[in-house]
Amino acid sequence: MKSLVCISHVPDTTTNIKYTPDGKSLDTTGVTFVIGPYDEYGLVRAIEFKEQTGQGHVTVLCVGGAEVEPTLRKALAIGADAAVRIDGDAVDANFVAKQVAEYAQGKDFDFIFFGKESIATNGSAVPGMVAEYLELPFISQATSLEVKDGVASLHRELAGAYEVLESPIPCVISCQKGLAEWRIPNMRGIMMAKRKPLSAVPAAEVSAAVTTEKLELPPPKGDCQYIDADNAAHLVSILNDKGLI
Amino acid sequence: MSVLLFAEHWNGSFKKSVFEAASFAKTLADKLGGPLHAVVAGDIADEELQKLGQYGVGTTHKAGDARLNTFSDQAFAKVISTAASAIGAKAVVLANTYNGKAAGPRVAVRLDAAFVPGVNNIPEATSEGFTGQRPTNSGKGVETYRTHRAAAVFTPKVNSFGLNEAPVDHSVASLAVELSDADFAVKFLEKVVTSSKVSITEADIVISGGRGFKGPENWNILEDMAGSVGAGTACSKPVSDMDWRPHHEHVGQTGIQIAPNLYIAIGISGAIQHLAGVNSSKNIVVINKDPEAPFFKIADYGIVGDLFDVVPKITAAIKEVKAATA
Ligand SMILES: Cc1cc2nc3c(=O)[nH]c(=O)nc-3n(C[C@H](O)[C@H](O)[C@H](O)COP(=O)(O)OP(=O)(O)OC[C@H]3O[C@@H](n4cnc5c(N)ncnc54)[C@H](O)[C@@H]3O)c2cc1C
Ligand SMILES: Nc1ncnc2c1ncn2[C@@H]1O[C@H](COP(=O)(O)O)[C@@H](O)[C@H]1O
């Protein structure tokens, strides 16, 4: 299998988000950046195909400035073969999708993997857009992927259910928990990653469809009203009076 | 300046999320001073479609192709964008359900429209498009966005607006869409139901348990409470990782994001990744034996106590209240 894995470079899930005083961007002081946790499911699944069959190739791609390169290196350390950075400011999902589509066009990838969403933008936007630009089938929120006789069989998550689907290859897949397990790169992987190719290519010109005017923290919560454990039933009368139950 | 709603249905019936998206779309249509249309795909009876009129939909465009009885993001995107072009929609609205999220981005590309996912505020029209707010960074931040295309596709967050009735006369028109086999390239084999309970993204009340429950054998304590108020049940990540509870109950940054009217967290510490999935809840109750548990910082009501003692008492009190008002 020849896979393209698109990864987002996002603040670690423990980050206490702060924005710059002008409200234009994330305050990155002290922030650790990681591969998007959903994106990593696709990365690991792509690597597993290679391990299982002894053949195939995994390219990781991120649209961003030079600051995303350590994140791409980490993907190489986990087991991807080559990394590509499309040098541009990922202004919106459409910009990213256009870059991915242009890059993937004509390269015969069997699978193009994404996370179900970026934990920075919570868009769930890029994968479907790429599928539309490339006119490929798209399986969103996949929790399982196997290949049999040149056909992909997948589970797609729904509320309280899942669908069992079959898709022709090539196809676009957005990944949800269950598809694979996260991996921690080992020493050997980290050493090998240093010698793997990481190239930067210029971004195609695309005008922004959506721009961010301002980023701010949500209004602070009021104080917690405590109810004595010995009088727990009092909670019920409060909730009932407020029409909450 | 019309607005188009994608009216998703489940085997011919609507759910609350559709009426909520309709309420959002109607408010937007009124702001733009235009009509609200809807589009449906697959078999659905006209009586069911009439319900859309209650929420301000004047005309529903129905693509009745039998192949549309199972969801295909490709085919549905074609149907939705065909209807949008036909009425010259300035905004297309899809609730951000699993299917709405899958089809929405394709619709935006087909229409060369701006895509604005997960909004929890009604947008304002600008000379160039729209502006408004949406949660970002997993609910830890708020983004003010601006669109720069003639049209925009919005996927409002489920449970963020509530219902708003605005009855109008409603009619059904049939919509012809050219669909090819390629639009159904992904073959649907079966749907496996993993939970028959109210989906937690749509539930008004969600009761959630963490590692404090000690083991799956104690979940009846939580389910009893949930049953007493008809709540959905959720859990923290380690609880689903240990298979105490199924994955689809896992809420948080890497699980499901929910915004119920009332969220009751029991025996959950309130790690930042957990809060990222529940911080849009309108009212939060926390029950934890540790007064220092971080969850109390975002709680509206808190009880410091042992859940094995406190929760059954609360359940009993709820049952009493319910019996008194039944
Ligand atoms: C990349 C990443 C993503 C993650 N994503 C998520 C996510 O999406 N969702 C999520 O939930 N977590 C997520 N986590 C895990 C998160 O960091 C926490 O570890 C997890 O939320 C803790 O679960 P918990 O509160 O059930 O357990 P604990 O932190 O162990 O807390 C148990 C709580 O129960 C209380 N307790 C114990 N006994 C009792 C009793 N008898 N009565 C009352 N209270 C009691 C304790 O005081 C404690 O506060 C993620 C972690 C990482 C690294
Ligand atoms: N800048 C980026 N570069 C490469 N892939 C990205 C980028 N941003 C998002 N993605 C991919 O698109 C998925 C969905 O992102 P989003 O639509 O922004 O929620 C992510 O999980 C990534 O797989």
Side-chain angles (χ1 to χ4, degrees), chain B residues 125-187:
Chain B
T126 65
S127 57
E128 237 195 317
F130 294 96
T131 183
Q133 292 192 321
R134 62 181 291 274
T136 189
N137 291 114
S138 305
K140 297 176 195 169
V142 179
E143 174 193 9
T144 303
Y145 64 82
R146 194 171 276 276
T147 71
H148 309 277
R149 294 286 189 275
V153 175
F154 296 98
T155 59
K157 254 182 135 78
V158 175
N159 253 348
S160 290
F161 296 93
L163 302 177
N164 190 9
E165 294 200 17
V168 294
D169 286 339
H170 175 264
S171 63
V172 179
S174 84
L175 177 72
V177 185
E178 291 242 7
L179 295 167
S180 69
D181 285 347
D183 296 319
F184 301 93
V186 178
K187 252 203 289 177

Side-chain angles (χ1 to χ4, degrees), chain B residues 107-271:
Chain B
V107 174
V109 167
R110 295 184 72 87
L111 297 173
D112 189 27
F115 184 63
V116 191
V119 287
N120 60 353
N121 252 295
I122 305 285
E124 298 288 335
T126 65
S127 57
E128 237 195 317
F130 294 96
T131 183
Q133 292 192 321
R134 62 181 291 274
T136 189
N137 291 114
S138 305
K140 297 176 195 169
V142 179
E143 174 193 9
T144 303
Y145 64 82
R146 194 171 276 276
T147 71
H148 309 277
R149 294 286 189 275
V153 175
F154 296 98
T155 59
K157 254 182 135 78
V158 175
N159 253 348
S160 290
F161 296 93
L163 302 177
N164 190 9
E165 294 200 17
V168 294
D169 286 339
H170 175 264
S171 63
V172 179
S174 84
L175 177 72
V177 185
E178 291 242 7
L179 295 167
S180 69
D181 285 347
D183 296 319
F184 301 93
V186 178
K187 252 203 289 177
F188 168 84
L189 300 184
E190 62 171 324
K191 178 169 162 177
V192 179
V193 173
T194 47
S195 161
S196 54
K197 280 189 245 152
V198 233
S199 112
I200 53 173
T201 45
E202 292 204 33
D204 281 328
I205 307 175
V206 173
I207 303 181
S208 188
R211 208 138 56 174
F213 274 87
K214 310 271 186 289
E217 66 281 5
N218 296 323
W219 235 260
N220 62 317
I221 301 173
L222 187 150
E223 300 214 301
D224 234 20
M225 184 175 183
S228 71
V229 286
T233 57
C235 68
S236 67
K237 180 169 184 287
V239 164
S240 82
D241 285 346
M242 292 182 292
D243 281 332
W244 294 1
R245 299 297 296 172
H247 159 62
H248 60 79
E249 289 198 357
H250 155 204
V251 291
Q253 181 139 27
T254 49
I256 295 170
Q257 281 95 44
I258 57 172
N261 203 22
L262 176 61
Y263 183 71
I264 304 183
I266 310 170
I268 303 176
S269 57

Side-chain angles (χ1 to χ4, degrees), chain A residues 11-17 19 26 37-38 41 93-94 116-133 135-141 143 156-168 176-177 182 206-219 221-233 235-240 242-245, chain B residues 71 73-74 77 98-99 101-102 105-106 108-110 113-117 131 133-149 185-195 199 201 205 229 237 240-241 247-248 250 252-257 261-262 264 272-273 281-285 287 291 296-305 309-310 313-314 317-318 321-322:
Chain A
D12 175 288
T13 54
T14 58
T15 308
N16 275 309
I17 295 291
Y19 298 110
L26 184 73
Y38 298 109
Y41 294 132
N94 185 58
K116 79 160 173 102
E117 69 179 53
S118 140
I119 61 164
T121 60
N122 312 108
S124 296
V126 177
M129 288 181 178
V130 170
E132 189 63 29
Y133 281 125
E135 296 184 31
L136 286 177
F138 169 41
I139 298 85
S140 61
Q141 313 236 28
T143 56
R156 171 175 177 254
E157 186 176 79
L158 293 176
Y162 63 87
E163 289 175 336
V164 183
L165 303 172
E166 265 180 17
S167 173
Q176 168 64 303
K177 181 180 167 185
W182 294 328
V206 179
S207 75
V210 185
T211 48
T212 300
E213 296 298 297
K214 193 165 147 211
L215 292 161
E216 60 198 311
L217 298 179
K221 265 273 195 182
D223 285 344
C224 175
Q225 178 184 340
Y226 286 95
I227 292 133
D228 196 5
D230 295 328
N231 192 14
L235 173 71
V236 177
S237 52
I238 295 175
L239 297 179
N240 193 44
K242 295 198 80 186
L244 291 173
I245 54 172
Chain B
F71 177 75
D73 56 295
Q74 251 172 323
Y98 284 82
N99 290 346
K101 282 185 193 176
R106 282 194 188 265
V109 167
R110 295 184 72 87
F115 184 63
V116 191
T131 183
Q133 292 192 321
R134 62 181 291 274
T136 189
N137 291 114
S138 305
K140 297 176 195 169
V142 179
E143 174 193 9
T144 303
Y145 64 82
R146 194 171 276 276
T147 71
H148 309 277
R149 294 286 189 275
V186 178
K187 252 203 289 177
F188 168 84
L189 300 184
E190 62 171 324
K191 178 169 162 177
V192 179
V193 173
T194 47
S195 161
S199 112
T201 45
I205 307 175
V229 286
K237 180 169 184 287
S240 82
D241 285 346
H247 159 62
H248 60 79
H250 155 204
Q253 181 139 27
T254 49
I256 295 170
Q257 281 95 44
N261 203 22
L262 176 61
I264 304 183
I272 190 163
Q273 297 100 343
S281 307
K282 269 75 93 194
N283 294 279
I284 296 177
V285 175
I287 301 168
F296 286 117
K297 290 203 186 76
I298 70 152
D300 298 289
Y301 304 100
I303 297 182
V304 178
D309 164 49
V310 170
K313 281 192 200 154
I314 295 176
I318 293 173
V321 169
K322 292 279 171 193

Side-chain angles (χ1 to χ4, degrees), chain A residues 5-9 36 38-39 61-64 68 90 93 96 100 113-127 174-175, chain B residues 115 117:
Chain A
V5 183
C6 298
I7 61 172
S8 51
H9 161 87
Y38 298 109
D39 318 355
L61 179 156
C62 183
V63 180
V68 309
V96 174
V100 174
F113 286 105
F114 294 90
K116 79 160 173 102
E117 69 179 53
S118 140
I119 61 164
T121 60
N122 312 108
S124 296
V126 177
S174 82
C175 306
Chain B
F115 184 63

Side-chain angles (χ1 to χ4, degrees), chain A residues 44-102:
Chain A
V44 174
R45 192 71 192 98
I47 293 167
E48 284 172 355
F49 279 123
K50 229 186 77 179
E51 291 168 347
Q52 283 160 7
T53 59
Q55 51 190 342
H57 190 269
V58 180
T59 305
V60 280
L61 179 156
C62 183
V63 180
E67 72 280 0
V68 309
E69 291 197 357
T71 302
L72 283 167
R73 279 280 172 224
K74 188 178 168 207
L76 294 173
I78 292 173
D81 300 297
V84 176
R85 174 171 72 85
I86 299 185
D87 186 27
D89 182 13
V91 276
D92 66 1
N94 185 58
F95 180 90
V96 174
K98 262 268 167 69
Q99 308 304 329
V100 174
E102 295 236 337

